[in-house]
Amino acid sequence: MNPAIRCDRTRAWSRLMEFHRLHGSTFDLRSAFAKDPQRFESLSFESPEVFADLSKNLIDASVLSLLAELARECAVEQRRDSMLTGNPVNVTEGRPALHTALRAPRGQGPFSEQVHDVLDRMLAWAERIRDTAASGIRHVVNIGIGGSDLGPQMAVPALDAYAHRDLRFHFVSNVDGHDITPVLRELDPSETLFVIASKTFTTQETMANAGVAREWFLANGGTDTRKHFVATTTNVQAAAEFGIDTTFGFWDWVGGRYSLWSAIGLPIALAIGADNFRALLDGAHAMDVHFAITPIERNLPMLLGLLDVWYRNFHGFGSRSVAPYHQGLKRFPAYLQQLEMESNGKRVDLAGESLPFSTSPVVWGEPGTNGQHAYFQMLHQGTDVIPVEFILVRTPTHGHPELHAKLLANGLAQSQALMLGKSTQQAAGERTPTASNAIDPGVLAHHRTFPGNRPSTTLVLEKLTPRALGSLIALHEHRVFVSGALWNINSFDQWGVELGKALCSDLLPRLASGDTEGLDDSTAGLLRRLRD
Ligand code: F6P
């Protein structure tokens, strides 16, 4: 591993600090556009399948060039190469992070033979299940959580236009029985395939739900568990002990939240078929190549990662809202939450030193236009500035162009409104038929003022194809890598999930026995309350 320099110890960091001190609070998007008629052209970027308009962000050429300098001082390109070639960049677990190898064409990435053997075997098996007349399968239930759930749960609806029309997909993740119960109610064991998805095959929630599914299957006349249960895991032995002998494996160098390209993507392959699954991988690979070879100044994952650091550490913005204007991407914000917050929600650097600056923002959102009727009020007039990332798709896969035009107009209008705002003077000059007659017009104008100058990025896809979705996801994986590399943290471990798991193991028997000895007063009181 190269001795990486943490961002706050570079010359570029001090220069950015100074730049922000001088210009940060006075930068105004409206005047930036007025001064520079080329602003849209110079701040919009092409990458495989994704066009990005960064011009509505609080940046200009000087900021971008300082940010590129920061990336160079922090050796982000060398760190990227180190990840791509399979060095153990996940230092606390001594492993590489080679999700990119899962989508490299045969013969081109590390572990290529292993990767393509499993891929070919899995896709051939998926095609046999997709022959529903022969397989008899009509329902696929993925039982998994976190990275073994969120990728397929996001991608299957996103690619609905490409999905098998006779297969229905269900996702069970929560150990709350309210998750699996309504799903099982709908099913007939003879038509159901359960995919037990778990990298470790030890995760409490998944194992518990898999047990419930097996019990239900046998109690409802299911006979051949070998035909109706399949496992996607790195722990083939544990799957066999559970009684599953069709297993598609992957490897410890695939992080859970980066695993949809591996056997964890089986539900996606079942939905869209082998050719489309390969197109998804191709799209991601195209983004990998873009990330690997494009100079920082035009490298979209680099630019987004740098922008994230600019907003988090210099502007102090604590969150980023994602607004996909495509209903198929309704689970994309949840997917990004795990990707970004589990990767970069860290408080020490690689050397274990506490960080004096903030790391992962809160990532959240809903599809447009739904979000507009819920929390966009706060984005426009609240006290916090929250950068928004719009995702617009030019061509729909449905037959209602009039709906699509309205959708796109809404997306454009929101980014425009965030930037332009509305002055008090403008508001005062407007007719307001719905306002109270009792309110002073001057006071009302303040309520109706929008400060504007609120930043947003707009990503545009031509169409939400498997290939485009692959590129879009890989773009986000790499931007998370870039901000993590600048912060000099390990984006590939997740020790923060351990403590709760250990305490849960202690509390579970106490819930049965009522033993509260040694517990803090609050937990003991709550435990009694839940038992009484
Ligand atoms: O929440 C922690 C975590 O380890 C995630 O990183 C992972 O995606 C999830 O649990 C599921 O783990 P597994 O695939 O091993 O069941």
Side-chain angles (χ1 to χ4, degrees):
M1 277 284 293
N2 59 69
I5 303 178
R6 205 172 74 190
C7 53
D8 60 321
R9 294 174 176 150
T10 60
R11 235 169 60 87
W13 184 270
S14 316
R15 294 183 63 197
L16 279 159
M17 278 289 173
E18 182 58 8
F19 190 93
H20 183 263
R21 193 181 64 77
L22 294 175
H23 310 288
S25 55
T26 51
F27 183 89
D28 188 89
L29 281 166
R30 294 151 293 200
S31 16
F33 273 98
K35 267 194 249 145
D36 178 7
Q38 292 306 308
R39 184 173 166 87
F40 173 75
E41 279 72 24
S42 54
L43 291 177
S44 54
F45 301 87
E46 298 283 353
S47 72
E49 302 283 342
V50 185
F51 169 84
D53 170 22
L54 304 194
S55 66
K56 290 196 189 88
N57 282 293
L58 308 177
I59 51 172
D60 59 14
S62 324
V63 175
L64 274 190
S65 114
L66 284 172
L67 287 170
E69 214 178 284
L70 179 70
R72 293 206 165 91
E73 273 195 80
C74 293
V76 175
E77 287 161 307
Q78 287 85 335
R79 296 185 65 158
R80 167 200 65 196
D81 296 345
S82 182
M83 174 180 72
L84 296 178
T85 49
N87 285 321
V89 291
N90 177 356
V91 289
T92 58
E93 298 180 301
R95 295 172 186 164
L98 270 175
H99 39 286
T100 49
L102 300 168
R103 56 243 188 169
R106 191 182 271 279
Q108 285 189 26
F111 303 109
S112 189
E113 283 303 308
Q114 281 164 264
V115 165
H116 282 272
D117 286 353
V118 176
L119 178 65
D120 292 349
R121 202 164 62 80
M122 175 180 96
L123 294 182
W125 189 85
E127 287 303 321
R128 288 201 292 282
I129 299 293
R130 285 169 54 80
D131 180 357
T132 50
S135 72
I137 297 299
R138 293 283 186 278
H139 293 269
V140 176
V141 184
N142 189 75
I143 297 182
I145 198 163
S148 298
D149 165 64
L150 289 164
Q153 196 189 140
M154 174 273 290
V156 170
L159 299 175
D160 173 68
Y162 302 84
H164 196 299
R165 288 290 156 241
D166 296 330
L167 283 174
R168 283 192 54 208
F169 290 83
H170 313 268
F171 295 89
V172 172
S173 52
N174 200 336
V175 76
D176 180 355
H178 296 105
D179 199 3
I180 196 165
T181 302
V183 172
L184 294 180
R185 202 184 290 140
E186 301 254 304
L187 304 179
D188 172 346
S190 67
E191 296 185 335
T192 303
L193 173 71
F194 289 99
V195 180
I196 312 302
S198 175
K199 179 175 169 180
T200 54
F201 225 78
T202 56
T203 303
Q204 185 204 51
E205 293 92 330
T206 303
M207 292 305 103
N209 278 320
V212 169
R214 183 176 52 189
E215 222 171 85
W216 169 88
F217 181 79
L218 296 172
N220 287 277
T223 47
D224 191 354
T225 44
R226 283 183 320 165
K227 183 178 159 205
H228 292 271
F229 283 77
V230 57
T232 52
T233 184
T234 58
N235 190 350
V236 176
Q237 196 186 331
E241 281 160 20
F242 183 86
I244 298 181
D245 58 16
T246 305
T247 302
F248 298 102
F250 58 110
W251 306 275
D252 69 357
W253 41 262
V254 180
R257 51 195 174 273
Y258 300 88
S259 65
L260 79 83
W261 324 99
S262 72
I264 291 296
L266 177 62
I268 309 171
L270 287 164
I272 64 176
D275 291 348
N276 283 320
F277 192 79
R278 288 190 193 278
L280 178 84
L281 299 181
D282 280 355
H285 177 66
M287 188 59 76
D288 297 342
V289 173
H290 169 85
F291 181 49
I293 66 174
T294 311
I296 294 171
E297 287 75 4
R298 284 182 289 112
N299 187 315
L300 191 55
M302 289 277 188
L303 292 170
L304 291 182
L306 287 164
L307 187 60
D308 291 339
V309 168
W310 174 237
Y311 282 157
R312 189 77 186 100
N313 301 122
F314 297 89
H315 283 275
F317 301 153
S319 91
R320 183 174 78 247
S321 185
V322 187
Y325 276 64
H326 191 302
Q327 188 61 21
L329 291 172
K330 62 180 181 225
R331 295 296 287 162
F332 197 56
Y335 176 81
L336 293 182
Q337 259 167 0
Q338 188 199 19
L339 179 63
E340 183 139 359
M341 294 162 78
E342 200 171 74
S343 296
N344 285 348
K346 309 288 162 66
R347 52 172 286 287
V348 297
D349 67 12
L350 290 178
E353 264 186 63
S354 291
L355 293 171
F357 50 76
S358 304
T359 57
S360 175
V362 176
V363 177
W364 58 284
E366 281 288 323
T369 59
N370 294 2
Q372 290 174 210
H373 297 273
Y375 51 78
F376 266 62
Q377 163 66 40
M378 184 259 203
L379 300 180
H380 288 293
Q381 287 191 313
T383 48
D384 291 309
V385 175
I386 298 177
V388 184
E389 199 151 292
F390 294 92
I391 302 175
L392 303 183
V393 180
R394 201 169 83 89
T395 311
T397 45
H398 59 68
H400 304 284
E402 72 291 359
L403 294 181
H404 195 62
K406 290 188 169 72
L407 178 77
L408 292 184
N410 268 284
L412 283 177
Q414 291 303 318
S415 67
Q416 199 184 19
L418 285 165
M419 173 175 76
L420 296 180
K422 187 194 281 182
S423 68
T424 310
Q425 202 185 10
Q426 248 178 305
E430 287 175 348
R431 271 174 33 78
T432 52
T434 58
S436 162
N437 293 329
I439 192 163
D440 175 86
V443 173
L444 179 64
H446 284 291
H447 286 273
R448 299 184 63 255
T449 298
F450 292 62
N453 200 33
R454 300 206 160 182
S456 68
T457 294
T458 302
L459 304 179
V460 181
L461 310 183
E462 172 59 36
K463 194 173 176 183
L464 191 56
T465 59
R467 190 180 157 82
L469 182 65
S471 297
L472 182 70
I473 301 167
L475 168 65
H476 285 84
E477 288 177 347
H478 296 322
R479 84 153 342 136
V480 167
F481 171 84
V482 169
S483 50
L486 291 163
W487 290 326
N488 201 25
I489 58 180
N490 183 1
S491 299
F492 299 107
D493 62 11
Q494 57 283 320
W495 301 104
V497 303
E498 299 290 327
L499 179 59
K501 283 187 194 172
L503 294 179
C504 176
S505 305
D506 172 57
L507 287 169
L508 185 59
R510 289 175 183 268
L511 263 175
S513 67
D515 172 19
T516 56
E517 205 188 316
L519 292 181
D520 63 88
D521 286 351
S522 164
T523 309
L526 288 169
L527 190 135
R528 278 193 292 271
R529 174 83 192 201
L530 288 166
R531 276 174 49 84
D532 290 346

